[in-house]
Amino acid sequence: MATAVDTVGAEQEADTLPEDYRPAPDEPFMGPRQTIYFRRKLLAWKDSILREAKETLAQLQTDSLREPDITDRASSETDWSIELRTRDRQRKLISKIDAALRRIEEGEYGYCEVSGEPISLARLEARPIATMTVEAQERHERNEKISRDD
């Protein structure tokens, strides 16, 4: 768990981390620079989702579904239904982002929950909420498919 001294050090490090920084394989895995980078990435992603949700809510409150033409009304209702399903998926994504942020705080971020091995930087870059290496994820999906087929 991070101490007050660690937190101050991390904040100072965050101030010096360039905006164009990208994790490199030749630096310590999940060292301060990489954890700050992924924390920033996750927080920015979460902020973006929350901003979009607020915009959707504002749009829902201002737009009226009382269109005179029944076809237009049906089309609008379908569009809003799709939009609300998207927001629901994003709400679930926020909980995964929060879990990843907790793993960063606990020092577990970037390591496979199955094997304990480091997850590749490329995978974390593409999917910062990943909890398994590609190999462990493939095994998990194969086992899931086999159990579904039974």
Side-chain angles (χ1 to χ4, degrees), residues 5-128:
V5 173
D6 294 337
T7 304
V8 170
E11 288 172 2
Q12 289 171 344
E13 181 77 22
D15 291 339
T16 62
L17 193 65
E19 287 297 320
D20 63 346
Y21 167 81
R22 293 289 177 265
D26 63 342
E27 61 188 9
F29 185 74
M30 287 305 132
R33 292 170 58 91
Q34 289 184 2
T35 55
I36 290 166
Y37 170 79
F38 283 109
R39 182 182 295 115
R40 272 188 191 170
K41 186 175 184 86
L42 289 161
L43 288 171
W45 192 11
K46 182 178 176 178
D47 288 344
S48 171
I49 291 169
L50 292 173
R51 194 172 36 259
E52 288 175 18
K54 284 180 185 174
E55 291 170 7
T56 298
L57 184 58
Q59 194 70 32
L60 271 172
Q61 291 171 340
T62 59
D63 283 359
S64 172
L65 292 178
R66 296 187 206 114
E67 296 171 7
D69 183 65
I70 194 160
T71 306
D72 289 343
R73 189 177 324 143
S75 178
S76 292
E77 288 175 3
T78 300
D79 291 347
W80 281 116
S81 175
I82 292 168
E83 184 69 25
L84 291 172
R85 276 196 306 258
T86 300
R87 295 292 156 239
D88 187 51
R89 279 194 300 275
Q90 289 182 332
R91 180 185 53 80
K92 292 173 185 170
L93 183 57
I94 286 176
S95 69
K96 291 180 180 183
I97 292 171
D98 287 340
L101 290 167
R102 272 191 305 280
R103 287 193 307 276
I104 287 174
E105 295 307 314
E106 295 166 359
E108 299 171 359
Y109 182 79
Y111 294 92
C112 180
E113 66 183 11
V114 175
S115 68
E117 296 176 20
I119 299 171
S120 74
L121 290 174
R123 177 162 171 75
L124 290 172
E125 188 72 44
R127 185 153 179 84

Side-chain angles (χ1 to χ4, degrees), residues 125-150:
E125 188 72 44
R127 185 153 179 84
I129 58 173
T131 59
M132 292 185 246
T133 61
V134 171
E135 297 79 11
Q137 184 71 42
E138 288 172 349
R139 275 193 307 275
H140 173 74
E141 289 173 3
R142 272 195 307 274
N143 291 339
E144 202 173 72
K145 182 180 182 319
I146 289 169
S147 64
R148 261 197 318 251
D149 291 344
D150 289 344

